[in-house]
Amino acid sequence: MQSTAAVSVSASATASRGGARSEAARRPGGVRVCGLRGEALTCPSLRISQAPARLAVARAAAATNGAVAGSGGGFDYDLVIIGAGVGGHGAALHAVEEGLKTAIIEGDVVGGTCVNRGCVPSKALLAVSGRMRELHDEHHMKSMGLQVSSPGYDRQGVADHANNLASKIRSNLTNSMKALGVDILTGVGTIVGKQKVRYGKAGFPDKEITARNIIIATGSVPFVPKGIEIDGKTVFTSDHALKLESVPDWIAIVGSGYIGLEFSDVYTALGSEVTFVEALDQLMPGFDPEIAKLAQRVLINPRKIDYHTGVFANKITPAKDGKPVLIELIDAKTKEHKETLEVDAALIATGRAPFTKGLGLENINVVTQRGFVPVDERMRVMDADGNVVPNLYCIGDANGKLMLAHAASAQGISVVEQISGKDHILNHLSIPAACFTHPEISMVGLTEPQAREKADKEGFEVNIVKTSFKANTKALAENEGDGIAKLIYRPDTGEILGVHILGLHAADLIHEASNAIALGTRVQDIKFAVHAHPTLSEVLDELFKAAKVNSGVSHSVNEPVAA
Amino acid sequence: MTASSEFPKPSSPRFLRPPHCFPPPYTQPAKAPSPRLRPRALLSSPPMATAPAPLSLSASTLPARLRAGAVPAGARWRQARRGRMVVRAKIREIFMPALSSTMTEGKIVSWSAGEGDRVSKGDAVVVVESDKADMDVETFHDGIVAAVLVQAGESAPVGAPIALLAESEEEVPLALAKAQELSNGQPQQAPPAPTEDAAAAPPPPPPAPATPPAPVAAGTKGVASPHAKKLAKQHRVDLAKVTGTGPYGRITPADIEAAARIQPKSKPAAAPPPVAAPSVGAVPQAAVLPPVPGATVVPFTTMQAAVSKNMVESLAVPAFRVGYPIVTDKLDELYEKVKPKGVTMTVLLAKAAAMALAQHPVVNASCRDGKSFTYNSNINIAVAVAIDGGLITPVLQDADKLDIYLLSQNWKDLVKKARAKQLQPNEYSSGTFTLSNLGMFGVDRFDAILPPGQGAIMAVGASKPTVVADKDGFFSVKNKMLVNVTADHRIVYGADLAAFLQTFAKIVEDPESLTL
């Protein structure tokens, strides 16, 4: 893809570029930082573009951005995006592709949470923890005939790896936007009126611009419940934890969702003991119950982890005056005091809160709901009266629909499609999610209880099939046979409702399922797709083949292509 | 697509899976049964796909219902003194079974049988959650579940007793008393106090908790870290009785290990793993020499460790050696005759030794306690065999009674099993006399070390043409071999051994009796 982009781009750069849809702008494939479509706090790696392609695109795009502005009806920009995180970045790239003159306002660092304080650095830490875990698993090593003597780690080295990765991805992101000619405006953006944004230092927005369309993409910050005092040293959020300034002997992790689970993987691999504090009755409440149960067996029980469920951390005091970190636990239902934990550190991973203050939403009669900007299915912002605010959109964590980096980016692209005159509604059920523990967990679509509820309501049947990593050659070769894949589907139509995977490289495997859902491919069709042997993808291959559909006829693979 | 022609068809998972992974019929019915009709046999469904999830993970390596190893409580004691069978009250321990190769502890999900329930052999008594799956575990014996030692929700290490099974009503109180004893006393499975020896073990264990550390500032009210709690449960250590030495007086995993008297495991980024396994016997371990720079250290395999242990133990036995020259012309002749029938020299020598032993039972005896002779009722000849990376002694049982053809057949089977490392314990540890032959290498004489538990071992050298003068002064050339017997002088004296060797020599020099 990169190389073809380079050719087509340089050719068109010299050709006519006056049209609103220059060929060059439409195909900046070589530069597109597609790797950033990871999920919140868990972005996968980045595909680096080829340098010549980038230069060529830069020239072409710089000329293109704003080509339409002349006919923009007096607006400074066709599109202004507030927030240069992964969502804003995805929207900006697609906007240039669509020939829109685009600016992006960022008050902090380009890349937002994902790149600087989330998915990207955490992947670096998890890469380290995965290797540590492997090296320390004597049984595992021995069974492969390997001998390793006392592996250790250098904390600063690990921390540097995470930090270096974040800055590398950040500069890639910045360069890709600059190369395309997106104006990066530094400051905090505030909406002052219809199609009007002011930006500048916080509290002193001194520059004003107008835009035909505005996208709010301000993201989120770690949510810290009341009663918890953050000191950044012994009681902290993922923002601090990713810097890995210390590896405590014993750390309590408040919240057992993705973030907590990933950090438990990191900390236990580096030698810490972990205590989970979960408000709900079950660990990993967001996951399919069966996967959560298995995950508990694989990721929690054999490790130096214990947990308290059904309790709130009512009050957390940082370590000081010779006292450890104190965590007061109260019963989640009765609110009675249950226990006080004494630990060396506490990581608050209770979720994330939208970062929407100071956006000036009151100027346009928009009221946030628990901080989230209300939107419709097209990401159009709704005002206090329930009417669509024209030309104003909100994507990503700020709208709270699905707080994942790649969801934000997908929403951004959907908005740009609409701005460009093509109606588009994003199917959120086709957006995969992943948790990068060892082994990984990934999922797309509905969980089993959700699917059964829907089935009851709409009166259809639901079938479940499962396959095991234990039967997969590649997994066994890697000595990593733990894990299952689970498919939830409709036996009457073959529609895929959900897929859940726990196992080696689950995060990379989920896309076959998420693409099938996004494209509406049905089980009876996808089961004829061929998978290379021996690969982990055969786990999904078996899964699809195991599913039985009553309406047998395939429809999409009916014209064989001559080979 | 060239790949697909070279490899087994990937889309046919049956190829890739051992047959025993099929979920057995009596596991719980699948909650969402998905019919297994396939359009083509090639795409046949992986059978696991329809199994309940927990099983699908482990069913591939295991029978679904494991039989709990229930062994009579007195078994260990009885084993120690062979020959004196004692029938005591039948209270059996139900153990935590090993449900997978990686399982070290299991959690009791639920007890299918409660205290006081009568169960019969084959009944599922308990559901155990291993690292992989929930499994019904059934009992080997009929009886009454007298006491549940590990409650539902609790964990126990593999091999630890989880319940007591009484054979009859009368024995229930006895079993209860025993349960009491078990829960009060030190954990049974903890190794018998290696603490004294542990001092000599390579990595010094954490300071012995002889002097309780000075209490640390904050309150010492039994705060224990997650891993410490897990260990305490596993080893049945009462947290209330442990003094924490960690930060803020916290109980650390090391504290529990010290309390349970177990070797600390290495922690990430911590000290190197222990080099040698702690010696089990009472024999003091040799001091560990400093490492040689540039040398490669290869730890012993289990077999090598066992050899090492036995060799060191032999030092406690006062052994002596007696040699004897034997003319083998006739034996060689016989060998040529029976060789086509599959008889080997080893078998001939073993048979000869067995026949000699039959006449000299003291050489077939052993000294077990330093105070008595133990005369063995059978003559079982262990023959030392070098196998890849080790040494093992398959045993020709009743070598005096069986003919050489039968012995040869047995020997062939034993060697095959030894190479495949499939010998059963009684096939390598029941020897009463050992034969070691290095003749095939041209060794003319050597001396062997007495294995523990035996009275004598014979070392056989090569048979070589030698000039011999007979009593009339005539010289001739005969094939002669030297045998050398090492014996335990506590029971076998010089004259005994000499007489035995004389008999042996007679048999070998006139070997017709071997074929009888």
Side-chain angles (χ1 to χ4, degrees):
Chain A
M1 168 189 169
Q2 277 88 344
S3 58
T4 52
V7 172
S8 73
V9 157
S10 38
S12 56
T14 50
S16 107
R17 53 178 85 117
R21 296 275 164 77
S22 141
E23 177 72 9
R26 292 191 54 165
R27 302 176 67 179
V31 182
R32 185 83 193 268
V33 189
C34 7
L36 282 167
R37 319 180 92 229
E39 49 101 12
L41 291 159
T42 44
C43 261
S45 69
L46 177 75
R47 238 190 304 169
I48 308 294
S49 59
Q50 288 172 355
R54 181 187 298 163
L55 284 178
V57 178
R59 252 184 290 125
T64 321
N65 187 18
V68 215
S71 59
F75 290 107
D76 296 331
Y77 292 97
D78 294 317
L79 176 64
V80 164
I81 303 162
I82 308 176
V86 171
H89 175 262
L93 293 198
H94 193 62
V96 174
E97 196 174 314
E98 293 295 327
L100 304 176
K101 187 182 181 189
T102 309
I104 196 160
I105 302 175
E106 179 56 60
D108 188 21
V109 279
V110 170
T113 297
C114 169
V115 173
N116 300 293
R117 301 172 298 271
C119 355
V120 171
S122 71
K123 289 306 91 50
L125 297 184
L126 282 157
V128 173
S129 83
R131 281 173 176 77
M132 276 301 277
R133 210 171 272 297
E134 230 171 288
L135 293 173
H136 271 284
D137 188 346
E138 279 170 41
H139 180 79
H140 183 105
M141 283 297 181
K142 229 182 187 169
S143 61
M144 300 220 277
L146 290 176
Q147 291 179 348
V148 177
S149 56
S150 58
Y153 68 90
D154 158 34
R155 185 200 51 78
Q156 193 54 50
V158 178
D160 289 347
H161 174 50
N163 192 28
N164 292 343
L165 179 70
S167 33
K168 188 171 187 175
I169 305 300
R170 182 165 61 235
S171 70
N172 282 341
L173 222 65
T174 313
N175 289 342
S176 70
M177 288 197 289
K178 277 188 186 155
L180 284 179
V182 173
D183 287 343
I184 302 176
L185 311 173
T186 307
V188 177
T190 304
I191 298 164
V192 287
K194 198 172 174 297
Q195 294 169 305
K196 215 178 276 174
V197 177
R198 232 182 245 168
Y199 70 97
K201 273 185 203 155
F204 306 96
D206 47 2
K207 300 180 195 94
E208 192 171 295
I209 45 174
T210 56
R212 183 186 293 270
N213 291 290
I214 298 168
I215 296 180
I216 299 169
T218 44
S220 62
V221 291
F223 169 67
V224 178
K226 262 193 266 173
I228 296 177
E229 189 186 329
I230 299 281
D231 71 346
K233 296 266 182 270
T234 59
V235 179
F236 47 79
T237 66
S238 55
D239 286 3
H240 310 98
L242 287 165
K243 293 180 190 153
L244 202 73
E245 282 170 353
S246 67
V247 178
D249 287 344
W250 183 4
I251 182 166
I253 299 181
V254 183
S256 67
Y258 298 75
I259 305 174
L261 211 54
E262 287 190 359
F263 273 106
S264 80
D265 195 284
V266 171
Y267 279 118
T268 51
L270 298 183
S272 304
E273 295 178 40
V274 168
T275 295
F276 271 119
V277 175
E278 172 60 53
L280 296 173
D281 289 332
Q282 201 193 342
L283 288 178
M284 298 169 270
F287 295 66
D288 183 87
E290 198 170 351
I291 296 288
K293 195 176 164 201
L294 188 59
Q296 180 160 341
R297 277 195 200 146
V298 177
L299 301 173
I300 310 269
N301 293 351
R303 299 183 179 173
K304 295 175 179 179
I305 301 177
D306 68 354
Y307 49 86
H308 300 265
T309 51
V311 289
F312 280 129
N314 190 36
K315 188 168 180 232
I316 300 185
T317 329
K320 57 187 165 197
D321 311 326
K323 276 197 222 147
V325 175
L326 298 176
I327 304 179
E328 264 181 39
L329 298 182
I330 58 165
D331 191 290
K333 291 188 189 94
T334 62
K335 310 287 177 213
E336 276 167 20
H337 179 268
K338 282 193 83 169
E339 199 174 336
T340 300
L341 301 179
E342 296 179 9
V343 292
D344 297 321
L347 167 66
I348 312 306
T350 42
R352 302 186 59 89
F355 180 65
T356 50
K357 269 194 189 142
L359 265 175
L361 293 170
E362 60 285 354
N363 301 335
I364 44 170
N365 189 29
V366 171
V367 179
T368 60
Q369 293 162 4
R370 293 180 300 125
F372 292 108
V373 178
V375 293
D376 68 0
E377 59 182 8
R378 290 180 173 80
M379 309 302 139
R380 296 180 294 196
V381 175
M382 316 291 286
D383 68 14
D385 310 318
N387 301 319
V388 168
V389 180
N391 307 102
L392 182 64
Y393 302 83
C394 177
I395 62 169
D397 289 3
N399 72 29
K401 269 185 176 293
L402 187 57
M403 296 174 83
L404 298 170
H406 50 275
S409 185
Q411 291 170 353
I413 289 166
S414 173
V415 167
V416 171
E417 284 288 294
Q418 293 168 52
I419 292 173
S420 316
K422 290 167 282 186
D423 193 20
H424 189 273
I425 296 176
L426 180 65
N427 176 9
H428 282 82
L429 284 176
S430 73
I431 298 178
C435 185
F436 293 79
T437 43
H438 297 93
E440 295 172 345
I441 306 171
S442 62
M443 68 210 75
V444 65
L446 305 175
T447 63
E448 187 179 338
Q450 286 169 344
R452 294 213 180 273
E453 192 188 323
K454 186 174 175 192
D456 279 351
K457 226 179 265 169
E458 298 175 18
F460 59 84
E461 231 186 289
V462 168
N463 260 13
I464 312 277
V465 284
K466 287 168 231 161
T467 49
S468 163
F469 278 68
K470 233 178 198 140
N472 181 276
T473 311
K474 185 76 185 301
L476 290 179
E478 301 280 347
N479 227 340
E480 305 269 6
D482 275 348
I484 60 165
K486 172 177 178 177
L487 167 68
I488 304 161
Y489 69 104
R490 281 181 69 159
D492 55 344
T493 61
E495 186 190 345
I496 300 171
L497 300 172
V499 173
H500 302 263
I501 310 173
L502 182 148
L504 184 62
H505 294 308
D508 293 316
L509 292 176
I510 195 68
H511 297 98
E512 184 168 14
S514 63
N515 287 352
I517 294 180
L519 304 175
T521 315
R522 288 164 191 260
V523 174
Q524 61 268 40
D525 300 324
I526 202 168
K527 75 199 302 176
F528 290 110
V530 180
H531 298 70
H533 174 73
T535 57
L536 294 172
S537 70
E538 289 170 285
V539 172
L540 287 199
D541 187 27
E542 281 192 28
L543 194 62
F544 296 133
K545 288 186 162 86
K548 198 202 165 259
V549 178
N550 300 332
S551 83
V553 197
S554 118
H555 51 81
S556 65
V557 197
N558 47 11
E559 276 180 52
V561 182
Chain B
M1 285 284 74
T2 46
S4 62
S5 57
E6 291 168 25
F7 292 104
K9 209 57 190 155
S11 49
S12 178
R14 257 178 232 273
F15 275 115
L16 310 173
R17 189 176 295 130
H20 54 239
C21 61
F22 286 80
Y26 46 79
T27 53
Q28 345 152 12
K31 273 176 203 129
S34 68
R36 266 201 234 144
L37 249 167
R38 303 252 125 269
R40 286 184 290 156
L42 189 69
L43 305 178
S44 67
S45 138
M48 280 180 188
T50 53
L55 265 173
S56 65
L57 274 180
S58 60
S60 61
T61 50
L62 294 164
R65 274 190 179 187
L66 278 244
R67 287 171 184 259
V71 174
R76 217 170 298 155
W77 179 78
R78 230 184 292 152
Q79 232 166 10
R81 305 196 176 190
R82 269 189 280 180
R84 282 185 59 196
M85 291 294 285
V86 178
V87 179
R88 282 184 16 168
K90 283 283 178 56
I91 298 160
R92 295 186 162 95
E93 290 172 351
I94 298 179
F95 293 127
M96 174 62 70
L99 300 178
S100 76
S101 58
T102 55
M103 175 172 167
T104 54
E105 69 160 12
K107 184 178 173 189
I108 309 287
V109 177
S110 62
W111 282 96
S112 327
E115 285 184 6
D117 286 1
R118 187 171 277 283
V119 293
S120 28
K121 184 178 167 182
D123 282 355
V125 288
V126 61
V127 182
V128 170
E129 174 191 301
S130 75
D131 48 350
K132 310 254 163 58
D134 293 345
M135 293 276 202
D136 282 334
V137 175
E138 61 188 61
T139 167
F140 257 167
H141 300 276
D142 297 348
I144 297 164
V145 179
V148 168
L149 302 175
V150 180
Q151 300 299 330
E154 292 179 0
S155 299
V158 167
I162 53 176
L164 294 181
L165 197 63
E167 197 159 77
S168 63
E169 297 278 0
E170 293 83 72
E171 276 133 15
V172 170
L174 252 171
L176 286 174
K178 189 171 158 55
Q180 196 69 31
E181 195 181 303
L182 276 174
S183 55
N184 288 343
Q186 274 296 318
Q188 269 226 330
Q189 70 280 6
T195 33
E196 279 79 19
D197 294 346
T211 48
V216 193
T220 312
K221 46 188 186 295
V223 173
S225 80
H227 188 44
K229 275 188 221 156
K230 277 190 186 178
L231 281 177
K233 213 173 196 179
Q234 234 179 60
H235 298 287
R236 296 173 171 226
V237 172
D238 186 356
L239 281 172
K241 289 180 186 150
V242 179
T243 313
T245 62
Y248 313 106
R250 172 193 305 161
I251 298 169
T252 65
D255 294 333
I256 303 293
E257 278 161 352
R261 301 184 180 176
I262 54 171
Q263 289 280 329
K265 270 209 190 139
S266 66
K267 190 185 153 178
V275 182
S279 79
V280 180
V283 183
Q285 207 177 357
V288 174
L289 300 171
V292 183
T296 314
V297 177
V298 180
F300 281 157
T301 61
T302 320
M303 183 194 284
Q304 289 161 344
V307 170
S308 164
K309 177 175 157 271
N310 282 347
M311 292 303 98
V312 173
E313 275 179 21
S314 75
L315 292 175
V317 176
F320 75 115
R321 292 145 192 96
V322 174
Y324 206 97
I326 299 173
V327 174
T328 62
D329 291 70
K330 286 193 177 165
L331 184 71
D332 295 341
E333 248 169 60
L334 175 69
Y335 176 52
E336 288 308 319
K337 256 191 265 170
V338 294
K339 200 174 165 184
K341 293 173 187 161
V343 178
T344 62
M345 185 54 93
T346 302
V347 168
L348 287 177
L349 290 170
K351 177 72 183 171
M355 287 170 68
L357 286 170
Q359 295 178 40
H360 302 274
V362 73
V363 183
N364 194 46
S366 61
C367 180
R368 303 205 161 251
D369 52 6
K371 286 184 268 184
S372 62
F373 293 80
T374 303
Y375 287 101
N376 295 302
S377 50
N378 298 340
I379 295 176
N380 297 338
I381 307 290
V383 183
V385 176
I387 63 167
D388 187 28
L391 168 72
I392 197 149
T393 53
V395 175
L396 284 165
Q397 299 192 352
D398 295 322
D400 59 326
K401 298 198 181 82
L402 303 181
D403 68 45
I404 49 173
Y405 306 106
L406 211 52
L407 283 175
S408 297
Q409 191 55 48
N410 291 353
W411 180 243
K412 219 181 269 169
D413 294 346
L414 287 169
V415 169
K416 205 193 277 172
K417 279 195 195 169
R419 295 245 158 83
K421 304 198 170 157
Q422 283 170 346
L423 283 178
Q424 298 301 310
N426 69 321
E427 288 172 329
Y428 60 78
S429 62
S430 59
T432 57
F433 180 89
T434 301
L435 184 69
S436 180
N437 183 1
L438 291 181
M440 56 289 236
F441 298 110
V443 168
D444 72 337
R445 85 202 78 172
F446 70 106
D447 118 55
I449 293 179
L450 188 63
Q454 291 183 20
I457 177 170
M458 178 186 280
V460 180
S463 183
K464 285 181 172 173
T466 314
V467 178
V468 183
D470 68 13
K471 58 187 181 226
D472 300 324
F474 289 109
F475 289 97
S476 59
V477 174
K478 302 239 167 172
N479 286 334
K480 209 161 94 177
M481 73 175 180
L482 289 170
V483 299
N484 194 3
V485 178
T486 305
D488 182 345
H489 209 306
R490 289 174 300 177
I491 51 169
V492 183
Y493 304 159
D496 296 332
L497 210 49
F500 163 73
L501 279 164
Q502 205 175 18
T503 309
F504 178 72
K506 257 188 207 151
I507 295 170
V508 170
E509 286 175 357
D510 187 12
E512 289 310 313
S513 60
L514 288 178
T515 56
L516 297 179

